[in-house]
Amino acid sequence: GNEFVSTREVKIKKDLDENIMGKHVIVVEDIIDSGNTLKTVLKMLGNRGPKTISLCTLLDKPSRREVEIDVQYIGFEIEDEFVLGYGLDYMQKYRNIPYVGIMGNLDELETKE
């Protein structure tokens, strides 16, 4: 969305194309924050009968966790900062920055785009 805080609403815009019953599933995330969305998604996937579900994330913010989430594969653990770049955005901007950086002064980012 266009906010710094989550609406806590999970919307499925595209469902799976394949049946996952009896299969090993790996969910790949860009960033895990509170864990609320993932908990809902993992429950939905678990109801489809996979043999296993593993979780992989590029970035993990454990200090923001509100629910327990078991993450098997973590690229980087980060502090509680709003990060941009490498696909992460703010209001559909800055996702094309070729690195992950902490959002600071938006004016500086505007001049670099």
Side-chain angles (χ1 to χ4, degrees):
N2 294 336
E3 303 295 328
F4 287 107
V5 293
S6 171
T7 63
R8 299 189 188 278
E9 184 179 337
V10 177
K11 295 179 187 176
I12 304 298
K13 294 185 177 185
K14 168 119 178 43
D15 205 346
L16 299 175
D17 292 331
E18 301 287 327
N19 182 350
I20 62 171
M21 183 171 281
K23 296 184 179 180
H24 298 282
V25 175
I26 298 178
V27 175
V28 179
E29 268 285 25
D30 53 1
I31 188 166
I32 301 174
D33 197 293
S34 69
N36 289 305
T37 300
L38 263 179
K39 183 175 182 176
T40 301
V41 170
L42 293 173
K43 183 178 179 181
M44 290 169 62
L45 292 174
N47 289 337
R48 295 178 182 204
K51 188 167 188 172
T52 62
I53 299 179
S54 298
L55 183 55
C56 172
T57 187
L58 174 63
L59 303 172
D60 187 24
K61 285 189 199 179
S63 65
R64 298 269 302 159
R65 202 76 84 243
E66 294 176 5
V67 296
E68 187 158 334
I69 297 288
D70 185 22
V71 186
Q72 288 74 35
Y73 309 101
I74 299 171
F76 302 95
E77 189 173 298
I78 63 173
E79 298 297 321
D80 183 16
E81 299 282 354
F82 194 91
V83 292
L84 300 166
Y86 208 65
L88 301 165
D89 72 288
Y90 173 64
M91 295 178 62
Q92 302 299 318
K93 293 183 177 181
Y94 316 113
R95 72 175 67 241
N96 60 334
I97 298 170
Y99 56 85
V100 175
I102 297 170
M103 186 168 107
N105 186 335
L106 284 177
D107 292 332
E108 289 178 24
L109 288 173
E110 293 284 344
T111 60
K112 292 181 180 179
E113 288 239 7

